[in-house]
Amino acid sequence: MADDDNDNDDEEEQNQNSIKVILVGDSGTGKTNLIGVATGQQFNAATLTTTTCSYMRIVIKINDIEYKVNLWDTIGQEKYKSMTKIFFKNSKIVLYVYDVTKRETFDSLKNWKNTIDEILGDVPTVGVVANKCDLYLEEQVKENEGKQYADEIGAKFIYTSAKLDAINFKAFIEEMVKEYVNKFEIKKNNEIIIDKKNHKKKENKNDRKKCC
Ligand code: GDP
C-alpha cells in the first residue's frame, strides 16, 4: 500500500461517520471471502479475491444516521507483523477469525489479541468469528469452545460459513456497529463526540489542524 493511500485511508477513518472494522486471524481462515460475501460478492472457492482496495464498504443506518462501515482485510499482512501497526490504526471494531477445521488458527487468536492489545489498547467492540461451519465433519474446534473464548475476552461470537452465504455475518456486523455507536454517541452535526462511558467531551479530530 502506498504512503499516499495510507494518508487518504487515515483521513477516511477519522471521518466521524466512518467506522473501521478489521478482520484479523491466520491466513486461509476465510477473511477475504467473509468480507466479499458480506459486501455482495460471490464466494470464491479457488483463490484469494485480488483487490487493490484496502477495504470494502457497507452502509448501515442507525437512528437515521448512515455509517460507512469499512471492512478491512489483512491481505498478506499476517506475514509482515511490522506492517500491522499502521494497518490497525483507528480501528473501532476488531473481529478475530478462525477456521473451525484448523485448531492452530483458533490457538493463534491469543497471539493476535496480544498484538491488537499492544497496538490499540482497549478496543471498544470485539467479536470472534468461527468460519467454515459448512465443514462440520472436519471440525477441530467445537462451537462451545469458540463461544467460551469469546466470553473470556468479552467478545460477541458468531459461527458462520462464508461458503453458505456468510450466514448471519452481515447481521453480526450490524449488531457490533450498533454496540459501538451506542457506547460512543456520535453527533450527526460533527461538532462533538460525547464519550458516554467517561462523560467527557472530546474534540473532533477533524477540527484539529494537522501539524504534519
Ligand atoms: P483469508 O486468507 O483469511 O483471507 O482466507 P480466504 O478468504 O482467502 O479463504 C481461504 C480459503 O478458504 C479459500 O480457498 C476459500 O475458498 C476457503 N474458504 C473461505 N471461507 C470458507 C468457508 O466458509 N467454507 C469453506 N469450505 N471454505 C472456505
Side-chain angles (χ1 to χ4, degrees):
M1 201 192 307
D3 283 350
D4 283 355
D5 288 346
N6 273 332
D7 288 347
N8 290 340
D9 291 340
D10 284 350
E11 274 175 32
E12 168 64 24
E13 295 311 335
Q14 286 173 19
N15 177 333
Q16 202 155 44
N17 289 355
S18 283
I19 296 177
K20 179 174 180 176
V21 180
I22 49 170
L23 276 76
V24 297
D26 290 352
S27 203
T29 49
K31 301 180 295 297
T32 308
N33 274 279
L34 283 167
I35 293 174
V37 177
T39 54
Q41 292 176 37
Q42 293 282 320
F43 173 73
N44 184 346
T47 53
L48 284 174
T49 311
T50 310
T51 170
T52 51
C53 291
S54 322
Y55 57 80
M56 304 282 282
R57 174 176 293 167
I58 50 177
V59 174
I60 295 177
K61 205 170 186 181
I62 301 169
N63 303 331
D64 286 334
I65 301 175
E66 283 193 342
Y67 294 93
K68 294 179 231 159
V69 178
N70 299 325
L71 303 171
W72 289 64
D73 189 1
T74 43
I75 309 164
Q77 275 95 339
E78 298 97 328
K79 295 185 200 124
Y80 307 104
K81 290 264 161 106
S82 57
M83 284 176 67
T84 53
K85 197 166 184 171
I86 304 168
F87 176 77
F88 291 156
K89 227 168 86 180
N90 295 321
S91 302
K92 302 297 187 293
I93 297 172
V94 176
L95 301 182
Y96 294 102
V97 184
Y98 70 92
D99 172 347
V100 297
T101 69
K102 292 203 169 67
R103 172 156 289 277
E104 64 273 20
T105 66
F106 177 66
D107 293 340
S108 73
L109 292 190
K110 289 191 178 76
N111 292 334
W112 281 107
K113 186 173 181 312
N114 288 340
T115 307
I116 293 280
D117 287 351
E118 268 169 35
I119 296 171
L120 292 177
D122 241 358
V123 182
T125 316
V126 181
V128 171
V129 181
N131 189 36
K132 306 196 188 180
C133 72
D134 56 292
L135 301 174
Y136 60 92
L137 292 177
E138 297 164 40
E139 206 170 59
Q140 293 184 356
V141 184
K142 294 285 169 213
E143 187 176 353
N144 273 352
E145 206 178 337
K147 172 88 180 66
Q148 196 179 333
Y149 177 65
D151 287 345
E152 262 171 43
I153 65 168
K156 290 199 183 311
F157 177 75
I158 185 173
Y159 186 67
T160 189
S161 162
K163 192 171 183 177
L164 301 179
D165 208 21
I167 324 160
N168 298 332
F169 182 62
K170 202 168 166 189
F172 183 72
I173 294 171
E174 287 185 18
E175 201 187 323
M176 308 273 304
V177 170
K178 272 186 197 145
E179 184 180 316
Y180 172 76
V181 168
N182 287 335
K183 268 190 215 159
F184 298 87
E185 186 182 322
I186 303 176
K187 292 277 173 191
K188 195 179 181 181
N189 61 13
N190 272 354
E191 295 308 317
I192 49 170
I193 299 169
I194 300 172
D195 179 341
K196 278 185 174 172
K197 205 168 155 199
N198 297 317
H199 300 286
K200 272 186 211 155
K201 283 186 181 180
K202 287 184 180 174
E203 196 184 344
N204 180 358
K205 279 184 187 169
N206 289 338
D207 296 339
R208 273 185 236 147
K209 291 223 160 55
K210 283 194 174 171
C211 61
C212 50

